[in-house]
Amino acid sequence: MATNDQMLLEQARQYDSQALAEIYDLYSLSIYHYLYRFVGEAHTAEDLTSEVFLKLIHVLDTTRAPRDQLQGWLYRVARNLAVDWYRKRGRQEPLSLREDLVPSGESPLAKLEKDQDRQRLRKALLALTPDQQQVLLLRFAQELKIEEVAQILGKSEGAVKLLQYRATRRLQKLLEREEKSDVEQTSRAVRGVPAASGAGRDN
Amino acid sequence: MLSKRAEQFEEFLQRAEQGETIEGPWAGLVQTGQELSRLAVEAPPPPGRLRAGRQRFLTEAARQRETKHARNKRRLVPMMGKMRWVGVMVAALLFFTAVSGTGYALADNSLPGGALYGLKGAMEQVRVNLTRSPEAKAELAIDLAEERLEEIATMLQKGQAVDQGVVNQAKGQLVAAEHAVANAGESEGPMRARMGNMVLARVGQLQDKGQRIGAPIADDTEAEAVDELVQYMQQRVHRVQVPSVEVDQPGQAQTQNQAQGENAQAAQGENAQGDPGPAGEYHYYYWGADYGQDGHFAGEAPSYGPGPGDEAEPPYGDDAPYGTQGDDTQNQYGPGGTDDDGKSKPSSGQKNSSGETQNGSGGSGGSGGH
């Protein structure tokens, strides 16, 4: 794959249409999936995917262009764009009703809870370092193996495992802290305002 | 330690993925990892099937390609203009080298009167102009003098006519070599020896009438010219080998009386008569440039050998005063004069102020060459 990336990049630097089209077809879907799992919105994920590849075009003729690890470079740019998107939109992102299609058999409430959990995870991920974010997203969201993550990130397997361990510990603490905070908020709300039954939390 | 825990965590994760329930201190961490797996939701298909993005991507690529080509073309056009001239010059240089190299190879073997003989002279002049150090000039001068003598020998072998003009050219080249040797500085001694040996060898070659193959010499004038050259060379070989001996200038009358008793002065910086070069600059003779139709040096009557206007000529042939082997005491040109510092130059056989013996390799003017 690395050799293929190098060959494609070599041709892409000449703005060869065929090579560029091949790069897009090869990686665009996985980048979209990655972005969707990070931002939680399909349209946003598609727009950001387009931005990722436009960035590639703009840096091809510069020193910032990827040399060999094209996939890793694409994931890195995708992550950065997603983080920037979060910063612009604010961390308190209301759930969009345009979200995933409701799978058959699943109640809207169940889906909502799942979506809230994901949003909570994504929010917590934003508090990690870029490398930690990447490792967890690729490892768990993209369901890649350690060796695949290592190849994409251009790191050793040992380094990836260490990142994974530290990132998970950090994430665990963040989630525990947030859960405690939510519990306190809920308690205050209960004391102050009568809680409506079945009302969902707005995270 | 930390890496070991990282390894253990990965191991527990894999066991959990396989359905195993993890308990103990690792349970919480493994559970967090499993929560992250919730992000691995199956993504819906892209709403626009990524088509719009693909189109934008390829359109932008085409635009960047055009921009890059236009930029390179702007840079390339002035470069191409320059490159064109560079290419023309390189081609011309290569052509000239090829032509001159080939032409020179052919001209190198040409003889006086031949079609390429002028080219040979031109190429030799180039060599002269490019030679800078006094030692190199002396070497080149000796080589050219030898070349002139070789040409005469070759002409004789082929039965070609050797007229006075050709002989005078050889004489002129010998004088030029003597000048250069005298100006060779520290290399003067070795250069003198080299020139003396060269002249002796060529004297023998020219004297050997057996080498004169081909048509018999029908013209007595030619025979006289060659004999004169031989005698001239015999005269000069001793002078070349002895640094104290005055190096006379072509065109000047050199009589026995004049030479004898005269303080020898090195011809340092003095041009041969008729040389157009700047003062002090050693100059070579061109083909025919310094020789008139009568074979005399330009503007001057010949002063070597018997001829009209000479009051007394040094004897030639077996009676030449240089018949003795390197004995300068009988040098008719008198003892050595003073050098530039006013110190007396030692005669042949004596040591100079540096302790070097100045005797040459033997003047065998009367005994012929090797």
Side-chain angles (χ1 to χ4, degrees), chain B residues 174-186:
Chain B
L174 284 167
V175 172
E178 286 180 39
H179 279 272
V181 166
N183 290 325
E186 292 179 356

Side-chain angles (χ1 to χ4, degrees), chain A residues 124-157:
Chain A
L125 275 173
L126 291 174
L128 302 179
T129 66
D131 279 349
Q132 289 174 344
Q133 290 174 7
Q134 280 289 57
V135 167
L136 294 185
L137 283 168
L138 292 174
R139 183 73 175 88
F140 298 104
Q142 293 289 89
E143 296 180 306
L144 299 177
K145 296 176 185 175
I146 286 289
E147 50 268 28
E148 291 172 318
V149 176
Q151 189 180 11
I152 289 171
L153 298 182
K155 296 180 187 297
S156 65
E157 289 186 23

Side-chain angles (χ1 to χ4, degrees), chain A residues 58-113:
Chain A
H58 291 147
V59 302
L60 267 179
D61 205 21
T62 71
T63 54
R64 291 175 295 162
R67 294 296 164 195
D68 45 11
Q69 294 286 344
L70 176 58
Q71 192 177 18
W73 187 90
L74 292 170
Y75 274 119
R76 200 157 48 245
V77 172
R79 190 211 69 86
N80 293 340
L81 288 176
V83 168
D84 290 343
W85 178 81
Y86 268 114
R87 284 180 188 148
K88 287 176 189 173
R89 294 283 297 269
R91 295 193 177 188
Q92 295 291 335
E93 182 62 29
L95 291 176
S96 168
L97 293 178
R98 299 181 304 162
E99 271 303 322
D100 315 309
L101 297 173
V102 177
S104 58
E106 191 175 32
S107 67
L109 184 63
K111 183 182 174 306
L112 190 64
E113 286 181 351

Side-chain angles (χ1 to χ4, degrees), chain A residues 13 15 17 20 24-25 32 37 46 53-54 57-58 61 117-118 121 139-141 161 164 166 172, chain B residues 2 7 10 28-29 35 38-41 44 47-50 54 56-57 60-61 65 68 71:
Chain A
R13 280 190 203 100
Y15 296 100
S17 302
L20 290 166
Y24 190 89
D25 296 337
Y32 163 76
R37 283 156 186 162
E46 189 173 20
F53 286 90
L54 284 177
I57 287 291
H58 291 147
D61 205 21
D117 286 340
R118 292 191 199 107
L121 282 169
R139 183 73 175 88
F140 298 104
K161 288 176 187 173
Q164 174 183 255
R166 285 174 167 167
Q172 184 185 34
Chain B
L2 205 58
E7 293 284 345
E10 174 61 22
L29 207 60
E35 283 187 26
R38 295 179 194 171
L39 294 175
V41 62
R49 296 178 183 270
L50 300 174
R54 191 177 192 275
R56 278 180 68 193
F57 177 67
E60 182 63 17
R65 186 169 55 240
K68 184 179 179 181
R71 190 171 61 231

Side-chain angles (χ1 to χ4, degrees), chain B residues 6 12 107 140 281 284 347:
Chain B
F12 282 117
L140 182 57
E281 185 71 20
Y284 284 92
S347 301

Side-chain angles (χ1 to χ4, degrees), chain B residues 256-290:
Chain B
Q256 181 175 356
N257 292 334
Q258 283 179 341
Q260 193 170 19
E262 283 183 357
N263 292 327
Q265 291 185 1
Q268 299 277 348
E270 292 184 12
N271 285 334
Q273 288 289 330
D275 286 348
E281 185 71 20
Y282 180 64
H283 192 74
Y284 284 92
Y285 291 88
Y286 297 92
W287 310 126
D290 295 301

